[in-house]
Amino acid sequence: MKAARVILEALKREGVDTIFGFPGGSVIPLYDALYDCPGITHILARHEQGAGHAADGYARASGKVGVCIATSGPGATNLVTPIANAYMDSVPMVAITGQVSRHLIGLDSFQEADVTGITLPIVKHSYLITSKDDITRTIREAFHIASTGRPGPVVIDIPVDIMKEDMEFDPDDVPPLHLPGYKPTVKGHMKQIREAARVIAAAERPVIYAGGGIIISGASQELREMALYGHIPVVNTLTGKGGFPEDHELSMGMVGMHGTPYANYALSQADVIFAVGVRFDDRVTGKLDAFAPHATFIHVDVDPAEISKNVAIDVPIVGDAKWVLGELITELRKLELSPDRHLPWMEQVESWKRDHPLIVREPDNGEIMPEWAIHKIWQVTNGDAIVCTEVGQHQMWAAQHYLCRHPRQFISSAGLGTMGFGFPASIGAQVGSPGRLVIDIAGDGSFQMTLQELATAVQFRLPVKVCIMNNQWLGMVRQWQELFWNSRYSQTCIECQPDFVKLAEAYGAEGYRVSRPEDLEETLRIAFASPAPAVIDIRVKQEANVYPMIPAGGTVHDMMEREL
Amino acid sequence: MKHTLSVLVENKPGVLTRVAGLFARRGFNIDSLVVAETEKPELSRMTIAVDEQDQNVEQVTKQLHKLINVLKITDLDPAGSVERELLLIKVKASGQTRGEIMQMVEIFGARIVDVTAEVLLIEMTGPREKVGAFIDVLAPFGIVEQMRTGRLAMSRGRKAT
């Protein structure tokens, strides 16, 4: 058997049935093996970045490891952004890159790039295979590393001459895992968990601050049980959306720069913050020394390096969120918490919610307000769609107004903030969730970064729906220019843009345009019901800003709640 | 605050780059770095000297632990460990000063390893401060060239570092 085929067989042994990729000189043997390899579907992207983000979206929607392939040199460097993206948001991914033949490495050969070197700071781990004998062991290790502990991307760089060699493969001969330096902590320290329970029980103003770790570890049920039993309000991060149902009365919605006023008020006034699966990102904390000044912090995370990285933690618990929450609930029950032990706090929280709600501006003068459009999408889909986003204003409006009830429902480039992520991610999410309605909420700027993947969606009959919040601006930068740079709109106006309807049609997808508020709902229903991929160009008010907003490095006192 | 990190790693290609890159990425300057095989050929020992706040060293230690090829990290307490550096130094030694230099070599427990008409090549091992003191003493004679290995350190007592 060719080593290239062994690579595929080893992937299958890890449960891989779908690969996203793009061929090239140094992976021809791999694609030759794919030509007649049963059990693996290859989704051909139109750009390696598309393949990488699709693998990411697939992983986030399905919980499985996303796999992508690119050739050496430019193919591999085109994967750099998706790898960095997966790294920042802890997404399990295995990226296989072809490398030039071993005797050509280091000679500036055609399509050669030092891929393991380039990706070093943005991978959980990486391998340069130097012998066919290392193939099966490396693939086994890569999947183990990518998917356990704090997940992340693993790069496997394979010289093309190795792929062409002949070798034996025995499917039952599974290489043993030998990773003496890698032992993620799953079980939290019981003494710390008991201490956390004691602190929570004694809290007068407790808040749960829940992030993407809840979704990664599958701890939604435990989180819900804990919040309900302890009667504790929950704020979530961007990646934490859907970890706790956002329509629940205890949900305070998203926290941070564009979070709800009440989530930010709650964190700022809390006396105990139970942080789980979060990393105290600067988009959440704002000014660090002024962040939650009255709080005792409990932090649960599987990555010990996150503990006290940005905020000094009083009760650290290293472990898997699901495991730790399970034990913590048991400990809390032993303490027999009374649900009305912090009534004044709950009243305070309720009054914040009542007095500072998120505002959905109704259409004004025949113009569609972007958050109203998102709200309509939410209504039309009963809040059940898988929603991917690009990066910018539309992303924040989507995060604010597309309330999620379930984990793995909201897929967004949170840490890296990658424009052009959402559309290919939606393709991957659709592959990973056949039969589900998958929507990419896009901006007109972001969509133009990866729109070539329309061909992929059409070719593979993936009926994703791109809803462009088209304001003809690079809106988020324009908003910053307006608010902090004296309205000097440098290079953010993008009025010159394609006719998105014709563009969609040119690719063989459906195109729709909505300019009037009264047409939106009907158009959405038609487009969402269609079995074809569709682009819905929604013309929204051009200079609408995202509110609330806490300026970067600010505090809750600097919050701008609405348009002045 | 000066720290000596003793890092046990898998002896594989690229591990040094991963470790050194991590320091650079997190904005840390490495004072010195010594790497070599241990008693087990599949493992290497890195001795990394840094001058950083305790809190930063703790953070970089945690980040180092995340590297798959890193097995163990010890932040060596100076009182509980033995620290050595190797110095090679070439000093101008004319007829008159030669005797004086040889006296210094004697006092510091160093060794002369090469002699020419104009210079002496001296080797010396010791804790960083002692190596520094020796260099200071030799400086007036005229140093042609000097090389230091950087710190090696091992914990005292029965237990391995």
Side-chain angles (χ1 to χ4, degrees):
Chain A
M1 189 182 283
K2 294 284 181 214
R5 180 61 184 261
V6 171
I7 294 169
L8 297 180
E9 294 300 327
L11 290 175
K12 281 201 263 181
R13 193 159 60 192
E14 299 300 329
V16 174
D17 55 18
T18 307
I19 294 175
F20 302 86
F22 196 93
S26 292
V27 284
I28 291 177
L30 200 52
Y31 277 87
D32 185 71
L34 263 172
Y35 193 68
D36 53 4
C37 179
I40 291 190
T41 304
H42 179 269
I43 307 290
L44 174 66
R46 293 303 186 271
H47 187 296
E48 289 88 352
Q49 186 188 354
H53 289 321
D56 183 322
Y58 173 87
R60 293 199 215 204
S62 69
K64 295 194 271 187
V65 177
V67 182
C68 53
I69 299 179
T71 192
S72 64
T77 56
N78 279 342
L79 278 184
V80 169
T81 300
I83 291 167
N85 193 74
Y87 184 68
M88 286 290 268
D89 287 349
S90 308
V91 177
M93 178 191 282
V94 170
I96 298 174
T97 50
Q99 181 53 275
V100 297
S101 292
R102 279 169 292 182
H103 70 276
L104 292 172
I105 289 180
L107 304 178
D108 306 317
S109 308
F110 177 65
Q111 292 196 329
E112 183 190 359
D114 173 9
V115 173
T116 47
I118 290 169
T119 57
L120 201 68
I122 51 167
V123 294
K124 187 168 174 188
H125 197 48
S126 54
Y127 296 90
L128 169 60
I129 291 188
T130 52
S131 156
K132 65 183 180 190
D133 301 329
D134 293 337
I135 290 174
T136 55
R137 179 186 55 80
T138 301
I139 288 175
R140 173 114 205 272
E141 287 182 7
F143 276 77
H144 179 69
I145 291 168
S147 61
T148 53
R150 178 179 183 173
V154 177
V155 167
I156 310 177
D157 200 24
I158 314 178
V160 61
D161 58 318
I162 294 179
M163 297 183 199
K164 290 187 271 194
E165 290 181 330
D166 287 304
M167 63 182 289
E168 299 293 316
F169 178 74
D170 174 1
D172 300 323
D173 179 19
V174 183
L177 274 178
H178 179 66
L179 295 164
Y182 180 69
K183 294 184 188 71
T185 307
V186 172
K187 298 180 180 178
H189 199 295
M190 278 313 296
K191 187 168 149 267
Q192 294 294 88
I193 293 172
R194 280 191 287 271
E195 174 65 7
R198 196 190 59 71
V199 171
I200 292 166
E204 288 174 6
R205 302 184 307 279
V207 176
I208 297 173
Y209 158 36
I214 292 293
I215 288 155
I216 293 167
S217 83
S220 304
Q221 199 49 49
E222 287 79 3
L223 175 63
R224 192 188 168 104
E225 197 180 332
M226 177 187 165
L228 265 58
Y229 176 71
H231 211 61
I232 305 171
V234 181
V235 305
N236 59 261
T237 65
L238 182 60
T239 47
K241 270 178 76 73
F244 186 80
E246 289 185 293
D247 55 358
H248 194 280
E249 59 173 6
L250 283 173
S251 173
M252 309 290 285
M254 185 171 74
V255 70
M257 181 178 277
H258 292 295
T260 67
Y262 36 96
N264 285 312
Y265 286 134
L267 267 199
S268 73
Q269 293 302 312
D271 70 340
V272 169
I273 292 177
F274 179 76
V276 51
V278 295
R279 56 189 180 85
F280 294 86
D281 179 67
D282 56 270
R283 284 294 186 267
V284 167
T285 62
K287 189 176 181 204
L288 264 183
D289 353 332
F291 174 67
H294 317 291
T296 298
F297 288 97
I298 304 165
H299 188 191
V300 181
D301 206 281
V302 75
D303 180 358
E306 286 304 335
I307 307 277
S308 297
K309 184 180 79 177
N310 296 336
V311 169
I313 300 302
D314 303 287
V315 186
I317 305 173
V318 176
D320 177 68
K322 188 180 176 72
W323 193 94
V324 172
L325 285 176
E327 293 298 320
L328 183 60
I329 291 161
T330 309
E331 293 303 319
L332 285 172
R333 286 192 192 283
K334 286 184 197 162
L335 299 176
E336 295 181 2
L337 305 189
S338 135
D340 51 7
R341 69 194 189 290
H342 51 251
L343 269 181
W345 174 238
M346 296 315 285
E347 279 163 15
Q348 172 69 73
V349 164
E350 277 312 309
S351 79
W352 280 327
K353 269 183 140 173
R354 202 171 47 239
D355 300 340
H356 305 272
L358 275 186
I359 300 156
V360 177
R361 290 167 293 187
E362 294 289 317
D364 174 28
N365 229 344
E367 283 190 301
I368 298 173
M369 300 308 282
E371 71 271 25
W372 180 82
I374 307 263
H375 186 68
K376 280 285 165 206
I377 295 170
W378 181 70
Q379 283 180 330
V380 168
T381 57
N382 298 318
D384 280 333
I386 294 176
V387 172
C388 301
T389 79
E390 310 288 343
V391 168
Q393 287 185 313
H394 68 275
Q395 177 190 31
M396 291 298 109
W397 283 313
Q400 292 172 339
H401 298 284
Y402 200 101
L403 301 184
C404 295
R405 283 191 291 260
H406 306 290
R408 304 199 178 281
Q409 198 192 343
F410 192 84
I411 296 171
S412 191
S413 170
L416 196 66
T418 310
M419 290 174 71
F421 165 78
F423 179 44
S426 71
I427 288 174
Q430 184 76 77
V431 172
S433 327
R436 290 284 301 274
L437 176 61
V438 180
I439 295 171
D440 173 35
I441 293 180
D444 47 310
S446 289
F447 181 56
Q448 290 186 68
M449 287 199 171
T450 48
L451 60 76
Q452 77 284 347
E453 302 304 334
L454 275 169
T456 311
V458 170
Q459 179 183 346
F460 293 92
R461 299 174 194 280
L462 299 165
V464 296
K465 315 297 176 188
V466 182
C467 297
I468 305 176
M469 301 292 126
N470 189 345
N471 57 11
Q472 302 183 40
W473 285 93
L474 299 173
M476 188 58 96
V477 178
R478 192 210 58 77
Q479 175 170 343
W480 282 51
Q481 287 171 334
E482 178 191 329
L483 297 176
F484 313 119
W485 296 88
N486 294 321
S487 300
R488 287 156 59 88
Y489 297 132
S490 179
Q491 306 296 321
T492 42
C493 181
I494 48 168
E495 276 171 341
C496 177
Q497 55 183 209
D499 179 328
F500 288 111
V501 174
K502 283 187 186 160
L503 183 86
E505 288 168 357
Y507 273 104
E510 292 175 1
Y512 302 87
R513 178 168 298 117
V514 184
S515 306
R516 300 187 310 170
E518 55 270 34
D519 298 336
L520 181 62
E521 188 170 332
E522 179 67 7
T523 309
L524 290 176
R525 285 192 193 284
I526 293 167
F528 292 172
S530 158
V535 176
I536 307 135
D537 178 14
I538 305 170
R539 298 304 178 101
V540 298
K541 182 178 165 66
Q542 289 210 346
E543 296 182 14
N545 287 341
V546 181
Y547 292 106
M549 178 178 194
I550 300 174
T555 73
V556 71
H557 307 295
D558 306 316
M559 186 193 308
M560 297 176 263
E561 253 190 83
R562 64 192 73 201
E563 202 105 31
L564 295 172
Chain B
M1 177 79 189
K2 292 202 182 294
H3 287 262
T4 309
L5 300 176
S6 185
V7 185
L8 193 63
V9 301
E10 290 183 89
N11 184 3
K12 286 186 174 169
V15 177
L16 174 60
T17 318
R18 285 177 206 275
V19 171
L22 196 145
F23 275 84
R25 210 151 57 236
R26 302 270 164 189
F28 285 11
N29 195 23
I30 295 176
D31 283 349
S32 75
L33 170 66
V34 182
V35 196
E37 240 178 45
T38 64
E39 71 281 5
K40 297 183 186 119
E42 72 275 16
L43 299 180
S44 291
R45 171 80 62 184
M46 296 186 181
T47 309
I48 306 171
V50 290
D51 191 357
E52 280 286 346
Q53 289 174 8
D54 294 355
Q55 197 191 335
N56 291 350
V57 172
E58 188 187 325
Q59 174 60 210
V60 87
T61 303
K62 285 175 174 175
Q63 295 291 345
L64 276 177
H65 265 299
K66 287 172 71 171
L67 297 179
I68 307 293
N69 305 120
V70 171
L71 270 61
K72 192 181 170 194
I73 304 164
T74 317
D75 188 353
L76 287 168
D77 160 29
S81 58
V82 176
E83 170 201 310
R84 287 294 178 270
E85 255 188 65
L86 169 66
L87 167 76
L88 289 176
I89 190 163
K90 205 178 277 178
V91 190
K92 285 185 193 154
S94 62
Q96 309 138 344
T97 57
R98 193 165 288 245
E100 221 175 313
I101 294 172
M102 287 168 71
Q103 213 176 353
M104 292 302 155
V105 167
E106 179 93 350
I107 292 168
F108 277 86
R111 228 155 56 90
I112 296 169
V113 289
D114 189 50
V115 182
T116 67
E118 296 88 29
V119 298
L120 291 175
L121 173 53
I122 304 165
E123 79 167 48
M124 188 249 192
T125 62
R128 192 167 45 95
E129 295 77 12
K130 192 176 164 193
V131 171
F134 185 53
I135 295 169
D136 290 345
V137 163
L138 296 182
F141 300 104
I143 296 169
V144 179
E145 189 181 19
Q146 75 173 52
M147 293 183 193
R148 302 169 72 157
T149 55
R151 252 180 280 174
L152 263 188
M154 185 180 276
S155 63
R156 295 177 186 270
R158 241 184 89 209
K159 276 177 77 179
T161 303

